[in-house]
Amino acid sequence: MLYKKLYKSLLGDILIVFDEEALLGLYLERQKEYEERLRDSEIVKNDETALQDSKEEDYNILKLTEAWLDKYFSGEDPGFIPPIKVIGSEFRKDVWDILLKISYGETRTYKEVGEALLASGKYERVSNQAVGGAVGHNPISLIVPCHRVIGSDGSLRGYAGGLEVKRKLLELEGKRKK
């Protein structure tokens, strides 16, 4: 069964989507197509059950996710990743795996993410646009840190939650000056 819960953050509501074992989605309220992503997400399409509001039952995955978010929004590196299950193409999963390796407070360029894909030996060619598309379709915002990917010139480029939110997240991590 799939569950959802709203988490209140300094950026607004964050929708947490999970099952009994893993986090499946983390969507910022301001994120482009917030409701559409929930309604039409691959998560829902791949599960015949309706998305249920979480009750006060003890779901360890929810506790871990909320603990991660609490620590993150307090300005600290959470130091762990709750169990996640990403749904997407092999290419997107490979990109998201690289994003998970970007440390708190660090950034990488789209080009560097593409170079890491090439270094894996799985791909002969990778375009920055393909990397950007995969980054932009990340279903687990913040924890899979797509906000840490920037342009080669250091500029902020595309973010489903908006560039101002991306800027705030990088400031929170101490990466960018206000």
Side-chain angles (χ1 to χ4, degrees), residues 17-57:
V17 179
F18 61 100
D19 64 17
E20 291 86 356
E21 299 172 1
L23 176 63
L24 303 168
L26 204 64
Y27 301 95
L28 302 170
E29 180 180 35
R30 297 177 192 164
Q31 190 168 336
K32 279 196 243 177
E33 301 132 357
Y34 170 78
E35 298 211 10
E36 183 181 327
R37 281 192 171 206
L38 171 62
R39 187 175 55 249
D40 298 333
S41 73
E42 293 177 70
I43 296 166
V44 175
K45 288 179 185 174
N46 288 336
D47 193 307
E48 297 300 317
T49 61
L51 197 59
Q52 303 291 316
D53 284 320
S54 174
K55 297 193 172 73
E56 293 305 313
E57 289 118 341

Short mmCIF file of all heavy atoms in Angstrom, two decimals, residues 17-57:
data_model
loop_
_atom_site.label_atom_id
_atom_site.label_comp_id
_atom_site.label_asym_id
_atom_site.label_seq_id
_atom_site.Cartn_x
_atom_site.Cartn_y
_atom_site.Cartn_z
N VAL A 17 5.76 10.58 -0.02
CA VAL A 17 5.07 9.39 -0.53
C VAL A 17 5.93 8.19 -0.19
O VAL A 17 7.12 8.17 -0.50
CB VAL A 17 4.83 9.50 -2.06
CG1 VAL A 17 4.12 8.25 -2.57
CG2 VAL A 17 4.05 10.75 -2.41
N PHE A 18 5.32 7.18 0.42
CA PHE A 18 6.10 6.03 0.88
C PHE A 18 5.25 4.78 0.93
O PHE A 18 4.02 4.84 0.88
CB PHE A 18 6.71 6.32 2.26
CG PHE A 18 5.69 6.59 3.34
CD1 PHE A 18 5.33 5.61 4.25
CD2 PHE A 18 5.09 7.85 3.45
CE1 PHE A 18 4.39 5.86 5.24
CE2 PHE A 18 4.15 8.11 4.44
CZ PHE A 18 3.80 7.11 5.33
N ASP A 19 5.91 3.64 1.02
CA ASP A 19 5.23 2.40 1.34
C ASP A 19 5.79 1.91 2.67
O ASP A 19 6.48 2.67 3.36
CB ASP A 19 5.35 1.37 0.21
CG ASP A 19 6.78 0.90 -0.08
OD1 ASP A 19 7.68 1.09 0.78
OD2 ASP A 19 7.00 0.33 -1.16
N GLU A 20 5.53 0.69 3.04
CA GLU A 20 5.97 0.20 4.34
C GLU A 20 7.49 0.09 4.46
O GLU A 20 8.03 0.03 5.55
CB GLU A 20 5.34 -1.17 4.65
CG GLU A 20 3.86 -1.13 4.90
CD GLU A 20 3.01 -1.20 3.62
OE1 GLU A 20 3.59 -1.21 2.50
OE2 GLU A 20 1.78 -1.22 3.75
N GLU A 21 8.18 0.06 3.31
CA GLU A 21 9.62 -0.21 3.32
C GLU A 21 10.51 0.94 2.86
O GLU A 21 11.67 1.01 3.25
CB GLU A 21 9.91 -1.42 2.44
CG GLU A 21 9.22 -2.68 2.91
CD GLU A 21 9.37 -3.81 1.92
OE1 GLU A 21 10.03 -3.63 0.87
OE2 GLU A 21 8.81 -4.88 2.19
N ALA A 22 9.99 1.82 2.00
CA ALA A 22 10.88 2.81 1.39
C ALA A 22 10.16 4.10 1.04
O ALA A 22 8.95 4.13 0.83
CB ALA A 22 11.51 2.23 0.11
N LEU A 23 10.94 5.16 0.97
CA LEU A 23 10.48 6.45 0.50
C LEU A 23 10.42 6.39 -1.03
O LEU A 23 11.36 5.95 -1.68
CB LEU A 23 11.46 7.54 0.94
CG LEU A 23 11.20 8.95 0.46
CD1 LEU A 23 9.87 9.46 1.02
CD2 LEU A 23 12.34 9.86 0.87
N LEU A 24 9.29 6.81 -1.59
CA LEU A 24 9.09 6.74 -3.04
C LEU A 24 9.04 8.12 -3.70
O LEU A 24 9.30 8.25 -4.89
CB LEU A 24 7.78 6.00 -3.35
CG LEU A 24 7.68 4.59 -2.78
CD1 LEU A 24 6.27 4.07 -2.88
CD2 LEU A 24 8.65 3.66 -3.48
N GLY A 25 8.69 9.13 -2.93
CA GLY A 25 8.61 10.47 -3.50
C GLY A 25 8.68 11.53 -2.42
O GLY A 25 8.21 11.32 -1.30
N LEU A 26 9.29 12.64 -2.76
CA LEU A 26 9.37 13.80 -1.88
C LEU A 26 9.21 15.01 -2.78
O LEU A 26 10.06 15.31 -3.61
CB LEU A 26 10.74 13.82 -1.20
CG LEU A 26 10.87 14.56 0.12
CD1 LEU A 26 10.01 13.91 1.19
CD2 LEU A 26 12.32 14.55 0.57
N TYR A 27 8.05 15.68 -2.67
CA TYR A 27 7.70 16.75 -3.59
C TYR A 27 7.48 18.06 -2.83
O TYR A 27 6.70 18.11 -1.88
CB TYR A 27 6.41 16.40 -4.34
CG TYR A 27 6.52 15.13 -5.14
CD1 TYR A 27 6.09 13.92 -4.61
CD2 TYR A 27 7.06 15.14 -6.42
CE1 TYR A 27 6.19 12.75 -5.34
CE2 TYR A 27 7.17 13.97 -7.15
CZ TYR A 27 6.73 12.78 -6.61
OH TYR A 27 6.84 11.62 -7.34
N LEU A 28 8.16 19.11 -3.27
CA LEU A 28 7.98 20.44 -2.69
C LEU A 28 6.67 21.03 -3.16
O LEU A 28 6.31 20.90 -4.34
CB LEU A 28 9.13 21.35 -3.11
CG LEU A 28 10.54 20.88 -2.75
CD1 LEU A 28 11.56 21.76 -3.44
CD2 LEU A 28 10.72 20.89 -1.26
N GLU A 29 5.98 21.70 -2.27
CA GLU A 29 4.70 22.31 -2.60
C GLU A 29 4.83 23.26 -3.79
O GLU A 29 3.95 23.32 -4.65
CB GLU A 29 4.17 23.07 -1.38
CG GLU A 29 2.86 23.75 -1.58
CD GLU A 29 2.39 24.47 -0.34
OE1 GLU A 29 3.24 25.01 0.41
OE2 GLU A 29 1.18 24.49 -0.11
N ARG A 30 5.91 23.99 -3.84
CA ARG A 30 6.12 24.96 -4.93
C ARG A 30 6.65 24.30 -6.20
O ARG A 30 6.83 24.97 -7.20
CB ARG A 30 7.11 26.03 -4.49
CG ARG A 30 6.60 26.83 -3.33
CD ARG A 30 7.63 27.83 -2.89
NE ARG A 30 7.23 28.40 -1.62
CZ ARG A 30 8.03 29.06 -0.83
NH1 ARG A 30 9.28 29.27 -1.16
NH2 ARG A 30 7.58 29.54 0.31
N GLN A 31 6.91 23.02 -6.13
CA GLN A 31 7.47 22.31 -7.26
C GLN A 31 6.52 22.36 -8.44
O GLN A 31 5.31 22.23 -8.27
CB GLN A 31 7.73 20.85 -6.86
CG GLN A 31 8.52 20.06 -7.83
CD GLN A 31 8.98 18.75 -7.22
OE1 GLN A 31 9.09 18.62 -6.00
NE2 GLN A 31 9.23 17.76 -8.05
N LYS A 32 7.09 22.58 -9.62
CA LYS A 32 6.26 22.58 -10.83
C LYS A 32 5.45 21.30 -10.87
O LYS A 32 5.96 20.23 -10.57
CB LYS A 32 7.16 22.60 -12.08
CG LYS A 32 7.67 23.94 -12.46
CD LYS A 32 8.18 23.87 -13.87
CE LYS A 32 9.65 24.13 -13.93
NZ LYS A 32 10.22 24.02 -15.24
N GLU A 33 4.22 21.40 -11.25
CA GLU A 33 3.34 20.25 -11.42
C GLU A 33 3.24 19.38 -10.17
O GLU A 33 3.13 18.17 -10.25
CB GLU A 33 3.81 19.39 -12.61
CG GLU A 33 3.84 20.12 -13.92
CD GLU A 33 5.15 19.89 -14.65
OE1 GLU A 33 6.04 19.20 -14.13
OE2 GLU A 33 5.27 20.41 -15.76
N TYR A 34 3.29 20.01 -9.00
CA TYR A 34 3.23 19.31 -7.71
C TYR A 34 2.08 18.30 -7.67
O TYR A 34 2.30 17.12 -7.45
CB TYR A 34 3.08 20.37 -6.61
CG TYR A 34 2.76 19.89 -5.22
CD1 TYR A 34 3.75 19.34 -4.42
CD2 TYR A 34 1.48 20.04 -4.70
CE1 TYR A 34 3.47 18.95 -3.13
CE2 TYR A 34 1.20 19.64 -3.40
CZ TYR A 34 2.19 19.09 -2.62
OH TYR A 34 1.92 18.70 -1.35
N GLU A 35 0.88 18.76 -7.92
CA GLU A 35 -0.28 17.87 -7.84
C GLU A 35 -0.30 16.91 -9.02
O GLU A 35 -0.67 15.75 -8.86
CB GLU A 35 -1.56 18.69 -7.77
CG GLU A 35 -1.57 19.52 -6.51
CD GLU A 35 -2.95 19.75 -5.95
OE1 GLU A 35 -3.90 19.12 -6.42
OE2 GLU A 35 -3.03 20.56 -5.03
N GLU A 36 0.09 17.37 -10.18
CA GLU A 36 0.11 16.49 -11.35
C GLU A 36 1.11 15.36 -11.15
O GLU A 36 0.84 14.22 -11.50
CB GLU A 36 0.47 17.30 -12.59
CG GLU A 36 0.44 16.49 -13.87
CD GLU A 36 0.82 17.34 -15.07
OE1 GLU A 36 0.50 18.54 -15.08
OE2 GLU A 36 1.43 16.79 -15.99
N ARG A 37 2.26 15.68 -10.58
CA ARG A 37 3.26 14.64 -10.33
C ARG A 37 2.72 13.59 -9.38
O ARG A 37 2.98 12.41 -9.55
CB ARG A 37 4.54 15.24 -9.76
CG ARG A 37 5.38 15.86 -10.82
CD ARG A 37 6.75 16.16 -10.27
NE ARG A 37 7.59 16.56 -11.37
CZ ARG A 37 8.89 16.43 -11.39
NH1 ARG A 37 9.50 15.92 -10.36
NH2 ARG A 37 9.58 16.81 -12.42
N LEU A 38 1.98 14.01 -8.40
CA LEU A 38 1.38 13.05 -7.48
C LEU A 38 0.34 12.21 -8.20
O LEU A 38 0.38 10.99 -8.17
CB LEU A 38 0.74 13.78 -6.30
CG LEU A 38 -0.11 12.91 -5.38
CD1 LEU A 38 0.74 11.82 -4.74
CD2 LEU A 38 -0.79 13.76 -4.33
N ARG A 39 -0.56 12.87 -8.89
CA ARG A 39 -1.67 12.18 -9.53
C ARG A 39 -1.20 11.25 -10.64
O ARG A 39 -1.68 10.13 -10.78
CB ARG A 39 -2.64 13.22 -10.08
CG ARG A 39 -3.93 12.66 -10.62
CD ARG A 39 -4.90 13.76 -11.05
NE ARG A 39 -4.32 14.70 -12.00
CZ ARG A 39 -4.03 15.98 -11.74
NH1 ARG A 39 -4.27 16.49 -10.56
NH2 ARG A 39 -3.49 16.76 -12.67
N ASP A 40 -0.28 11.72 -11.45
CA ASP A 40 0.13 10.96 -12.63
C ASP A 40 1.49 10.28 -12.49
O ASP A 40 2.03 9.79 -13.47
CB ASP A 40 0.17 11.88 -13.85
CG ASP A 40 -1.19 12.47 -14.16
OD1 ASP A 40 -2.20 11.84 -13.81
OD2 ASP A 40 -1.23 13.57 -14.73
N SER A 41 2.03 10.27 -11.28
CA SER A 41 3.39 9.74 -11.12
C SER A 41 3.45 8.25 -11.44
O SER A 41 2.48 7.52 -11.32
CB SER A 41 3.90 9.98 -9.70
OG SER A 41 3.24 9.11 -8.81
N GLU A 42 4.62 7.84 -11.84
CA GLU A 42 4.84 6.42 -12.12
C GLU A 42 4.59 5.59 -10.88
O GLU A 42 4.21 4.44 -10.96
CB GLU A 42 6.27 6.21 -12.62
CG GLU A 42 6.51 6.85 -13.97
CD GLU A 42 7.94 6.71 -14.42
OE1 GLU A 42 8.34 5.58 -14.73
OE2 GLU A 42 8.64 7.73 -14.46
N ILE A 43 4.81 6.18 -9.72
CA ILE A 43 4.58 5.46 -8.47
C ILE A 43 3.14 4.99 -8.41
O ILE A 43 2.86 3.83 -8.16
CB ILE A 43 4.88 6.37 -7.26
CG1 ILE A 43 6.36 6.75 -7.24
CG2 ILE A 43 4.48 5.70 -5.96
CD1 ILE A 43 6.69 7.89 -6.31
N VAL A 44 2.21 5.90 -8.64
CA VAL A 44 0.80 5.57 -8.56
C VAL A 44 0.41 4.62 -9.69
O VAL A 44 -0.34 3.68 -9.50
CB VAL A 44 -0.07 6.84 -8.55
CG1 VAL A 44 -1.54 6.51 -8.59
CG2 VAL A 44 0.24 7.67 -7.31
N LYS A 45 0.93 4.86 -10.90
CA LYS A 45 0.61 4.01 -12.04
C LYS A 45 1.05 2.57 -11.81
O LYS A 45 0.45 1.64 -12.32
CB LYS A 45 1.26 4.54 -13.31
CG LYS A 45 0.63 5.81 -13.82
CD LYS A 45 1.35 6.27 -15.06
CE LYS A 45 0.81 7.60 -15.53
NZ LYS A 45 1.57 8.14 -16.64
N ASN A 46 2.14 2.39 -11.07
CA ASN A 46 2.68 1.05 -10.85
C ASN A 46 2.08 0.35 -9.65
O ASN A 46 2.48 -0.75 -9.31
CB ASN A 46 4.21 1.12 -10.68
CG ASN A 46 4.90 1.43 -11.98
OD1 ASN A 46 4.36 1.18 -13.04
ND2 ASN A 46 6.09 1.98 -11.90
N ASP A 47 1.15 0.96 -8.99
CA ASP A 47 0.51 0.35 -7.83
C ASP A 47 -0.99 0.55 -7.96
O ASP A 47 -1.46 1.66 -8.11
CB ASP A 47 1.02 1.00 -6.54
CG ASP A 47 0.63 0.21 -5.30
OD1 ASP A 47 -0.57 -0.08 -5.14
OD2 ASP A 47 1.51 -0.10 -4.51
N GLU A 48 -1.71 -0.53 -7.92
CA GLU A 48 -3.16 -0.47 -8.13
C GLU A 48 -3.90 0.14 -6.95
O GLU A 48 -5.04 0.54 -7.07
CB GLU A 48 -3.70 -1.88 -8.41
CG GLU A 48 -3.16 -2.50 -9.68
CD GLU A 48 -3.48 -1.69 -10.92
OE1 GLU A 48 -4.63 -1.22 -11.05
OE2 GLU A 48 -2.58 -1.51 -11.75
N THR A 49 -3.27 0.19 -5.79
CA THR A 49 -3.94 0.73 -4.62
C THR A 49 -3.92 2.24 -4.65
O THR A 49 -3.01 2.86 -5.20
CB THR A 49 -3.27 0.24 -3.32
OG1 THR A 49 -1.93 0.70 -3.31
CG2 THR A 49 -3.31 -1.28 -3.22
N ALA A 50 -4.90 2.84 -4.06
CA ALA A 50 -4.94 4.30 -3.99
C ALA A 50 -3.93 4.79 -2.97
O ALA A 50 -3.58 4.08 -2.03
CB ALA A 50 -6.34 4.75 -3.60
N LEU A 51 -3.48 5.99 -3.15
CA LEU A 51 -2.56 6.61 -2.22
C LEU A 51 -3.33 7.02 -0.97
O LEU A 51 -4.27 7.80 -1.05
CB LEU A 51 -1.93 7.83 -2.90
CG LEU A 51 -0.67 8.42 -2.30
CD1 LEU A 51 0.44 7.39 -2.26
CD2 LEU A 51 -0.24 9.60 -3.14
N GLN A 52 -2.97 6.45 0.15
CA GLN A 52 -3.69 6.67 1.39
C GLN A 52 -2.99 7.72 2.25
O GLN A 52 -1.77 7.76 2.30
CB GLN A 52 -3.76 5.37 2.21
CG GLN A 52 -4.39 4.21 1.47
CD GLN A 52 -5.87 4.42 1.25
OE1 GLN A 52 -6.58 4.85 2.14
NE2 GLN A 52 -6.33 4.14 0.05
N ASP A 53 -3.78 8.53 2.95
CA ASP A 53 -3.19 9.43 3.93
C ASP A 53 -2.62 8.59 5.05
O ASP A 53 -3.24 7.63 5.50
CB ASP A 53 -4.24 10.40 4.49
CG ASP A 53 -4.57 11.50 3.50
OD1 ASP A 53 -3.64 12.00 2.85
OD2 ASP A 53 -5.76 11.84 3.39
N SER A 54 -1.44 8.98 5.49
CA SER A 54 -0.81 8.26 6.59
C SER A 54 -1.56 8.55 7.88
O SER A 54 -1.90 9.69 8.17
CB SER A 54 0.65 8.69 6.72
OG SER A 54 1.22 8.11 7.86
N LYS A 55 -1.78 7.50 8.63
CA LYS A 55 -2.39 7.68 9.95
C LYS A 55 -1.24 7.73 10.96
O LYS A 55 -0.10 7.82 10.61
CB LYS A 55 -3.34 6.52 10.22
CG LYS A 55 -4.49 6.52 9.20
CD LYS A 55 -5.60 5.60 9.61
CE LYS A 55 -6.80 5.75 8.72
NZ LYS A 55 -6.66 5.21 7.40
N GLU A 56 -1.55 7.67 12.20
CA GLU A 56 -0.51 7.78 13.22
C GLU A 56 0.19 6.46 13.50
O GLU A 56 0.90 6.34 14.48
CB GLU A 56 -1.12 8.34 14.51
CG GLU A 56 -1.59 9.78 14.37
CD GLU A 56 -0.50 10.72 13.88
OE1 GLU A 56 0.63 10.66 14.40
OE2 GLU A 56 -0.77 11.50 12.95
N GLU A 57 0.00 5.48 12.62
CA GLU A 57 0.71 4.23 12.81
C GLU A 57 2.21 4.47 12.75
O GLU A 57 2.66 5.44 12.17
CB GLU A 57 0.32 3.21 11.73
CG GLU A 57 -1.07 2.70 11.88
CD GLU A 57 -1.95 3.03 10.68
OE1 GLU A 57 -1.59 3.93 9.93
OE2 GLU A 57 -2.97 2.40 10.54
#
